[in-house]
């Protein structure tokens, strides 16, 4: 066998094809607005267009890229379309994409400080910047007792927070012996489903996750929380953790963190604040009200991969006491021992999250923050909120539509007055049209449409067109069903 034979891409080919891919992405962004937002394919359609067997001989890169355009693109729902108003956004931007590309190109593993010092130190630095940018308490910064780390998702951040809360409550014995079925955690009945998953994974069991009732604005009721904790203690259980949400997924409700925080302090419970999407709003001083009471939290997370122009995945997770988190997650096999770790002078982020390996994700955040500057980021976040607020005003003024709840930021929950069936069919027709993509929730037992404005390139004309389309389809539909 020839020792010199190589199938690798040469540097020259990499340059040529790399440029082709960047051009492809730029073309995609130029045309994405005209593509049907929600993919129109049938289940199995994409797979049936792919060869049943892998190629035994390598193929031309041009052929691969052509198949992306012809076979893959039709099966995409275009999260980067300015007409994407569904769920919460997962927005991206040029600097983030290029930072991510560079991270792939460098291909470093930042599990230990020693395995790539810049990967760790840039992350610590950028997360400290972000703490200042959001006006977070100094206790969450690395020069205090806390610090921030990039996790893949808010789900992982909540799980790590729950694990740390569990260990603090049991003096680290559940790590040793497992859980005994008596630990209890609390969140509102509007919290994200990732909390239920975390309770399962952390060994509490989902029956030991209490979902506390909410007020008429869908925010957690502190009195109900306090009552539940008391009754659990009386039953011999061990409360350990509360998760408050700043911006619930259904309706963007903001839990009363000051009151919840006081209860947690009195009861000695770990308080985690999940601000997955809405945390980004705190870049703007006028929206910092969302973080009222945050100084009482033990941990906090928000996702730049939702609303801060940083492509998936990127969740920023902060703790006030890094020692507890590290003690909860640390294991040190012989093969990871090194002088820097033993010196105690460095951060090893492997101890701050579940996986060992980690990508150089702070590069894309650094690129985003440096490209936009704080003012640039504020400008676009303010614009999204303004557009959503205009939409909310149009809904309020329309005869046949109503707001389901007040819209505090960039999510508007609304309904046609014709009832659940009308709203369900309206949503289906709007999404089938390909012109926009909205999703739904149920509030007050009524089917409710959600319009979330947070896509990077959404402008006034897109929101205006969406509202026109919603009204037109509703009118047509209600007319024809008469
Ligand atoms: C409030 C809230 N928390 C957590 C999550 C989960 O986010 P991730 O996909 O980063 O785990 C979401 C997702 O929309 C969310 O809205």
């Amino acid at each position: 066998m020839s020792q010199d034979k190589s199938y690798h891409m040469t540097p020259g080919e990499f340059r040529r094809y790399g440029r082709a891919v960047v051009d492809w992405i730029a073309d995609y962004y130029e045309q994405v607005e005209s593509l049907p937002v929600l993919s129109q394919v049938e289940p199995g359609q994409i797979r049936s267009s792919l060869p049943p067997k892998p190629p035994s001989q390598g193929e031309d890169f041009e052929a691969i890229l052509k198949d992306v355009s012809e076979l893959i693109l039709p099966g995409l729902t275009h999260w980067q379309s300015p007409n994407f108003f569904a769920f919460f956004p997962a927005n991206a931007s040029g600097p983030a994409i290029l930072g991510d590309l560079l991270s792939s190109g460098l291909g470093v593993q930042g599990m230990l400080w020693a395995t790539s010092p810049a990967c760790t130190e840039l992350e610590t630095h950028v997360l400290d910047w972000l703490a200042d940018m959001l006006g977070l308490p100094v206790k969450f910064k690395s020069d205090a007792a806390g610090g921030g780390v990039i996790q893949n998702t808010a789900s992982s951040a909540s799980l790590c927070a729950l694990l740390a809360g569990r260990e603090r409550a049991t003096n680290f014995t559940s790590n040793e012996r497992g859980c005994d079925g008596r630990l209890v955690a609390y969140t509102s009945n509007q919290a994200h489903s990732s909390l239920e998953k975390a309770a399962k994974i952390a060994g509490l069991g989902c029956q030991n996750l209490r979902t506390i009732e909410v007020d008429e604005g869908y925010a957690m009721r502190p009195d109900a929380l306090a009552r539940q904790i008391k009754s659990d203690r009386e039953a011999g259980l061990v409360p350990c953790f509360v998760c408050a949400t700043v911006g619930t997924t259904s309706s963007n409700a903001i839990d009363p963190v000051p009151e919840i925080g006081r209860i947690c302090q009195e009861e000695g419970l770990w308080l985690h604040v999940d601000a997955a999407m809405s945390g980004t709003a705190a870049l703007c001083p006028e929206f910092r009200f969302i973080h009222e009471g945050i100084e009482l939290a033990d941990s906090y997370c928000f996702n730049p991969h939702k609303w801060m122009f940083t492509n998936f995945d990127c969740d920023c997770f902060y703790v006030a006491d890094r020692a507890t988190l590290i003690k909860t997650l640390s294991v040190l096999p012989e093969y990871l021992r090194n002088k820097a770790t033993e010196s105690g002078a460095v951060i090893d982020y492997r101890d701050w999250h579940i996986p060992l390996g980690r990508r150089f994700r702070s590069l894309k955040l650094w690129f985003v923050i440096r490209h936009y500057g704080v003012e640039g980021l504020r400008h676009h976040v303010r614009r999204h909120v303004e557009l959503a607020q205009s939409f909310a005003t149009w809904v309020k003024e329309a005869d046949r539509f109503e707001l389901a709840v007040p819209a505090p930021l960039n999510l508007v929950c609304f309904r046609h007055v014709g009832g659940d069936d009308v709203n369900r069919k309206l949503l289906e027709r709007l999404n089938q049209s390909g012109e926009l993509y909205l999703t739904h929730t149920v509030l007050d037992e009524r089917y409710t449409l959600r319009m979330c404005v947070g896509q990077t390139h959404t402008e006034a004309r897109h929101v205006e067109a969406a509202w026109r389309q919603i009204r037109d389809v509703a009118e047509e539909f209600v007319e024809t069903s008469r």
Side-chain angles (χ1 to χ4, degrees):
M1 209 198 297
S2 160
Q3 293 298 319
D4 298 335
K5 192 168 169 73
S6 167
Y7 293 89
H8 298 309
M9 196 176 261
T10 66
E13 285 169 334
F14 183 79
R15 273 197 187 87
R16 185 148 44 96
Y17 301 142
R19 288 186 184 121
V21 169
V22 170
D23 280 343
W24 192 99
I25 297 171
D27 291 346
Y28 173 70
Y29 274 82
E30 277 177 347
Q31 57 151 348
V32 67
E33 178 170 350
S34 62
L35 302 174
V37 191
L38 180 65
S39 174
Q40 312 281 311
V41 297
E42 296 296 327
Q45 192 177 322
I46 301 300
R47 281 203 70 183
S48 65
S49 70
L50 299 170
K53 297 262 187 285
S56 65
Q57 300 296 320
E59 298 181 66
D60 286 345
F61 195 81
E62 283 92 350
I64 304 172
L65 204 51
K66 185 164 168 280
D67 282 352
V68 174
S69 302
E70 292 177 4
L71 307 183
I72 302 299
L73 204 59
L76 296 184
T77 288
H78 299 288
W79 284 70
Q80 303 312 317
S81 166
N83 299 313
F84 183 99
F85 303 109
F87 305 109
F88 279 161
N91 67 17
S93 66
I97 296 165
L98 295 176
D100 213 25
L101 177 62
L102 204 57
S103 165
S104 297
L106 294 171
V108 301
Q109 268 279 7
M111 54 199 183
L112 302 168
W113 177 88
T115 58
S116 217
C119 180
T120 294
E121 294 195 15
L122 183 67
E123 184 160 330
T124 307
H125 202 71
V126 169
L127 269 83
D128 277 354
W129 275 4
L130 265 170
D132 289 340
M133 287 163 66
L134 298 183
L136 296 180
V138 290
K139 67 177 184 177
F140 288 133
K141 292 179 65 175
S142 65
D143 50 8
V149 59
I150 300 179
Q151 303 254 347
N152 54 359
T153 63
S155 305
S156 298
S158 295
L159 172 60
C160 289
L162 175 55
L163 292 170
R166 182 191 79 181
E167 289 313 299
R168 194 176 73 178
T170 59
N171 202 15
F172 299 90
T173 58
S174 29
N175 254 351
E176 299 297 320
R177 296 186 219 129
C179 297
D180 63 3
R182 292 189 311 135
L183 289 164
V184 191
Y186 306 80
T187 194
S188 91
N189 62 23
Q190 297 291 304
H192 190 260
S193 55
S194 49
L195 270 300
E196 185 181 337
K197 203 182 258 186
K200 290 184 185 182
I201 300 169
L204 271 75
C206 49
Q207 284 180 5
N208 286 333
L209 176 69
R210 307 280 188 250
T211 51
I212 303 298
E213 65 197 83
V214 293
D215 63 19
E216 62 293 344
Y218 300 96
M220 193 198 291
R221 285 185 46 186
D223 56 327
L225 172 68
R227 262 200 314 279
Q228 185 65 52
I229 294 171
K230 184 165 178 284
S231 103
D232 285 334
R233 284 210 198 279
E234 284 167 3
L237 301 175
V238 182
C240 68
F241 172 87
V242 177
C243 175
T245 311
V246 167
T248 58
T249 320
S250 248
S251 67
N252 222 354
I254 296 169
D255 286 342
V257 179
E259 288 83 353
I260 295 170
R262 273 190 284 280
I263 295 169
C264 289
Q265 294 222 312
E266 278 162 22
E267 299 282 347
L269 308 187
W270 185 286
L271 173 60
H272 175 61
V273 174
D274 173 6
M277 179 191 69
S278 300
T280 292
L283 288 168
C284 307
E286 68 272 30
F287 302 136
R288 294 238 169 108
F289 65 88
I290 64 170
H291 281 165
E292 210 192 319
I294 201 82
E295 66 285 355
L296 301 173
D298 293 288
S299 56
Y300 168 87
C301 78
F302 89 109
N303 287 359
H305 75 223
K306 281 190 169 14
W307 192 15
M308 214 187 87
F309 314 106
T310 308
N311 51 308
F312 193 87
D313 51 356
C314 185
D315 166 272
C316 294
F317 175 54
Y318 289 92
V319 286
D321 169 22
R322 60 179 175 265
T324 298
L325 179 69
I326 292 169
K327 193 167 172 194
T328 298
L329 297 178
S330 188
V331 283
L332 184 57
E334 185 55 37
Y335 47 81
L336 294 179
R337 285 186 191 278
N338 67 90
K339 254 199 204 148
T341 298
E342 273 151 32
S343 76
V346 300
I347 288 178
D348 288 325
Y349 276 126
R350 77 191 166 94
D351 291 334
W352 293 54
H353 62 161
I354 312 289
L356 170 62
R358 55 200 331 272
R359 302 179 66 231
F360 198 169
R361 281 183 292 221
S362 57
L363 266 183
K364 61 186 173 190
L365 256 182
W366 192 44
F367 277 32
V368 166
I369 296 169
R370 293 186 63 184
H371 170 87
Y372 285 93
V374 177
E375 279 310 320
L377 292 169
R378 284 179 179 159
H379 168 85
H380 290 290
V381 166
R382 279 188 183 121
R383 190 72 189 122
H384 287 156
V385 175
E386 241 171 58
L387 293 174
Q389 294 301 319
S390 301
F391 185 91
T393 306
W394 304 331
V395 169
K396 269 192 273 185
E397 289 170 355
D399 289 345
R400 310 204 54 77
F401 285 90
E402 63 186 16
L403 276 186
V405 276
L409 296 166
N410 62 333
L411 174 71
V412 184
C413 295
F414 68 106
R415 318 179 178 103
H416 189 277
V417 292
D420 285 359
D421 272 356
V422 169
N423 283 291
R424 206 173 282 118
K425 285 183 190 147
L426 174 59
L427 184 71
E428 211 174 279
R429 292 209 186 171
L430 287 165
N431 289 341
Q432 268 167 3
S433 78
E435 310 252 337
L436 76 171
Y437 182 24
L438 297 178
T439 47
H440 80 281
T441 186
V442 172
L443 293 175
D444 197 18
E445 296 179 13
R446 292 158 75 191
Y447 196 88
T448 302
L449 309 184
R450 295 167 74 267
M451 166 94 181
C452 191
V453 182
Q455 216 297 317
T456 308
H457 299 290
T458 298
E459 297 170 14
R461 67 190 171 88
H462 302 105
V463 178
E464 286 159 11
W467 177 232
R468 253 196 322 274
Q469 173 89 354
I470 293 165
R471 270 181 329 178
D472 289 354
V473 172
E475 233 166 75
E476 203 181 287
F477 165 70
V478 175
E479 275 305 309
T480 51
S481 54
R482 262 198 195 125

